[in-house]
Structure formats: C-alpha cells, structure tokens
Amino acid sequence: MRIAVLQFSHETVTFLPYDTQLEDFIYQGSPVGGEALLATDPKGYMGGFVQVAREFDGVELVGIESPLWPKTGSGSGWVTQQAYEHFLGRMITELRAKGPFDGVYLCLHGAMAVRGVPRPEADIARRVRAEVGPKAVIAATFDPHGNEDEEFLRHADMGFAVKYYPHYDMHLQGQRAARNLVRGIRGQFKPAHVTLKLPIISPTGVQWTGASPWSDLIQRALTWEAREPDLFVNVFFGFPWADVPDAGMTFQVISNGDRALAEKVAKDMADFAWRKREELLYSTKVHHMGPGVTMAREAVAARHTPVVLCDHSDRSGYATWLLREIIEQGLTRTLIATIASPEAVQAAIDGDAQPGDPFDMEIGGKADPSAGEPVRITGTILRISTASTPRAMGGGQQWLLVGFGDGNVVVISPFLAQIIEPAELWALGLSPEDFDVIAIKSRVHFRRGFDDSGFARTILLVEPDEPFLGTVRLDALPYENLDIHGFYPYGAADFEPG
Ligand SMILES: [Zn+2]
C-alpha cells in the first residue's frame, strides 16, 4: 500500500498590505521531502498521521517535497500565484514520477488564500486527484479556522478537522486521517459526507472553545462521534481575516456509507449553532486598550498576578497600541512580547550588539494603519536570542531583548510572533519572578500556556478603539469576495436547517 504525503499550509490575512512570496517559504528545512517531511511536527498532524500509518503492515509512506509554513507565520498577506504554482507544480510532478499511489494524505490548514485561486485547498485536491486517478483515496487534515465549502470533498474523500481552540487535537486528527485512509484503501470505510455552510462570521478572538457556548458546540460534535461509530464531525469556525468566498462557519460530517446520518447530524450541528449565535459572538469580553491597561494596573495592586494583557487584534505584529498605553500608564515590571521591527533586530545583529549596550530606536508601527505609530524606546540591550516559538507562530528567528523604564522588557522580533507558552519567554533568558504583567499578541492560542496551564491569575483581552483589521469589528474590513451583510451579525442572515 503506497501513500503519498504532502503538506501545504498557510493561514492568510489577505487584508495585510504585503503578499506572501515564494522566498518566504524557502529557508533552512523548507521545502522538505522524504523521511524529513514525515519527521516534522511530531506532536502535530504529521506526527499523528505517520505514527498510525506505520502501525499497519505493508504501508509505504512517500514524503513529497513540501513547503513548511512561511517565515512570516500568519503575519503576511495573499500568497502569490507564483509561489503557489511553484510548489504545487513540483508536488504534482513528483507524484507522477513516484506513482502510482493507493492513497494521498494532504496536511492542510484550510485558510490559505492565493491570488487568483478562490479555493486553494479544493484546488490542491482537484489537481492531486487528476494525477493519482479516481481509485486512490485522498484524506486531509484541517485547522478549525479553515474556510471551506463543499468543493473540497468533491475531489477528496475525507477530511478531519481539529475541534479545540487552542488546537489540542492536531495529533489526534492526524491519527484519524491515517487510520481511515488505510481503511478506505482496503474498502472498509466508504465515506458518505455532507457539507453545510452557516451564515455566521466571527472574529477569531471570540472562538475560544474553553468557554460556553463554543465548548457546548464542540461537546455536541464529540457526543455525536461517541454515539455513532465511524462518524466524524468537523466544525470549521472560519477565518474572517481572509477575504475569500467560502469564509464563515461550516459543518462537515463524514460517515461510513450513511449519507442520511451525515445529513441529520450536519443539520443538528448547524441548527444548534444558529440557536446559540448571539452567545457565540458575544461570550468573550474584549476591553478597549486604555481601560484594559488600567484594569491590569489594578490587578497588580491587588496582587492578582501574573497578569496577562493580550492584544488579540494585532495581525501584522507591528502594532504598538498596547506598548504605548503601557508606557503612558506607567506600568512597571512588564514584559512586552513581541513588537515586530525587523530593522531594529537587523541593526543589532549587524552592529554586533552586546548585552549592556545602549538602545535608542523607534520600534514597530507603520506596517499598515492598524499597527499605529512607531514608539521610541530608550534603554539597554539585554541580549539577542534565538526564539523557541514554533515557526507557524513566527518563531525560529533571532529576537532582540531591550530593558527600559522600571523593570520593563520589550522583545523585538523580525515578524509577527504569537507567544503561546510562558516557557518561550523564559527560554530567552528571562525569569517569571521579574514580571507582574506579560503583554502579548494572541487571540486564543496563548490560553494553552497562560490559562489552561494555571499560569495567569488575571487575563485581559484588549484591542484599540479604532475598527482596525483584527478587531472584533469585521464590518470595517474592505471585503471584496464575500458580502458580510449576508452573515450574522452583520445583516439579515437567515438559516432554516429543516
Ligand atoms: Zn487555527
């Protein structure tokens, strides 16, 4: 049994002013094929897939050369058609050279947006299908932020989406993809599926599955899966920062040959979400920047520390709103991570900066209006350190640490970086006992290390007052490829599940 393994993943913020280019996908370790591809991300989709696929006798996995996440993480705009065609074209050529295959595993995200290609994941499946033929079985894994409609499963046989946000079950979904791909090739699993789109669009910051009713929605999917063997319920929350025609919430239900069951469950899930739509949109409290930072000060005074201040809205990494407010309100013992400022990092590297050297530069801002103005920081260089943050979160680069004010430290990175574990900060040489407040840029992923781990005693989500890219005010975004007024809560959206 020969199975080809491919990866092509990005979460594209199309409203950012700079495209994701071919060279953004090319760096030490990317693109990668063969065994090295199979060894990437042992705790993620790929690790789960490879682990279970190799539990079956006689399965040969062929790693097709694939790009990993771009250097920019998700802090870059439209993927250029050149980059997309370059990598996909090479994959198809390699499939042809190394075929025939009985099956293909596509390690995808679902929210990649490519100039001129309205539904990239479906397009990947279509072109892979054209190459491997109608008999091969194609299985994929997806992020819950995927923007998908029925087009993908026209060309592929099955998909398995992560349920939790933060994404705790990537390895599990990889395992499911392997098991059911092998069963599909053996004729033991005959996918019958239903895809149902629901006209709800929500900012990602409110989609935390730790809070009701997002947790109830996921529990409902898990209950269906527990009740009905061989039933798989994918809940795509959607990714509103990509201006694509298939954005918004989607349910995908896959059964073993029972389309009526898949349809019943898809309708039940969609009906439940529709009934809960108001709570889904407004369950998470987001504070304006000024009052949010004031609340952080009050929490410090009350010793409800550590406090995590989270600007959930920064999509470029350059935003300075929270840094500026922290300085204006005179916060002390505060760690800000990170402000994207590639020139500052490069200047320090080029100048062979050493710990103790003075630092006086404007950092951040300017990338687009939502980033705000640069902020001048006068302080002392503490160190230049290699980030342990995962590449998809903007890590794997040299970061610059600058001390300023009364016990404050700002971490300057070349790209948007999303800190999801406090350990990523301590790995830079910092100590938790030195800080009362940690200010980060993340919507929900940080809850993995700062909330669900028991680390933070106070968590405050903040955003700037203006309806910028990344804030909860999606109706301020210049969508061209979808009409936001057809979605709850921005228009007269309606849904009849029956
Ligand atoms: Zn996601």
Side-chain angles (χ1 to χ4, degrees), residues 11 45 109 143-146 162 164-165 167 204 207 237 239 445:
E11 185 182 76
Y45 302 104
H109 179 286
D143 187 280
H145 293 110
V162 153
Y164 299 91
Y165 186 21
H167 303 339
T204 44
Q207 298 168 348
F237 313 150
F239 189 70
H445 283 302

Side-chain angles (χ1 to χ4, degrees), residues 42-45 47-49 51 168-175:
K43 291 180 84 172
Y45 302 104
F49 180 85
Q51 182 198 61
Y168 291 116
D169 53 328
M170 295 189 289
H171 191 266
L172 175 69
Q173 302 305 336
Q175 290 182 319

Side-chain angles (χ1 to χ4, degrees), residues 203-281:
T204 44
V206 308
Q207 298 168 348
W208 176 37
T209 56
S212 176
W214 291 93
S215 54
D216 308 328
L217 185 66
I218 293 314
Q219 186 56 46
R220 200 170 185 90
L222 291 168
T223 301
W224 273 119
E225 291 185 348
R227 282 173 61 158
E228 299 286 350
D230 280 352
L231 186 79
F232 301 97
V233 182
N234 294 333
V235 182
F236 289 99
F237 313 150
F239 189 70
W241 321 118
D243 177 15
V244 292
D246 51 356
M249 191 177 257
T250 302
F251 296 94
Q252 208 177 51
V253 181
I254 298 162
S255 73
N256 192 356
D258 189 346
R259 196 180 183 284
L261 175 64
E263 187 163 351
K264 177 175 131 180
V265 174
K267 283 179 176 171
D268 172 74
M269 290 296 302
D271 185 40
F272 180 80
W274 188 246
R275 288 202 307 273
K276 298 280 183 186
R277 61 192 180 278
E278 190 174 344
E279 294 159 83
L280 285 168
L281 264 294

